[in-house]
Amino acid sequence: EIGDNSHCLNFDIQDQDAITAAVNGLPAEFSDITILVNNAGLALGMGGADTSEMSDWNTMIATNISGLVATTHAILPGMVARKRGHVVNLGSVAGTYPYPGGNVYGASKAFVHQFSLNLRADLFDKNVRVTSVEPGMAETEFSVVRFDGDAGKADGVYKGMTPISAEDIAETIYWTTMMPAHVNVNVIELMATSQ
């Protein structure tokens, strides 16, 4: 669907060395990254803080925080040197509105929100924009992963409501990146009408 004007990379977002190697190994025609969309993120389980698995917490932190930070760190210097760029970080309403079982996932998305604002403060005079896009309930593979592949349980999350879609979120990201260069959308929160 993307066509010939694409270059795919496959690496573990939790592996900082793999991120650095991927960015440093980009072909010349793809190395001047203008827009970075940090979309890697996951939630594991819905247990309370007292019953959650420490390995799940570590995986969420490694993906939602460390992977996002390492990717940004690898790409940002080029944007600053070229005096143009846009970092779009995918947060979540879970970073603002706590819910039972959201413990480390919600905390990691609160980090994404604050990190985005701090990046914005560091980059305001470098012509690099930063946006935190914070969706609510969206029907993607997110809940299937959260419930360890149990599609029935994942479908139950959206019972009786119409969730937002991946396309809704993509359209929102696209809009933020297509604003005139002098406009920075700091934070955008979106939810399903019935959430």
Side-chain angles (χ1 to χ4, degrees), residues 7 41 48-49 64 66 70 84 96 112 114 121 123 156:
H7 179 72
N64 301 353
S66 301
R84 68 186 185 99
T96 305
V112 171
Q114 197 61 40
L123 299 169

Side-chain angles (χ1 to χ4, degrees), residues 18 52 60 101 106 114 134 144 190:
S52 294
M60 286 186 278
Q114 197 61 40
E134 302 173 2
V144 175
L190 59 153

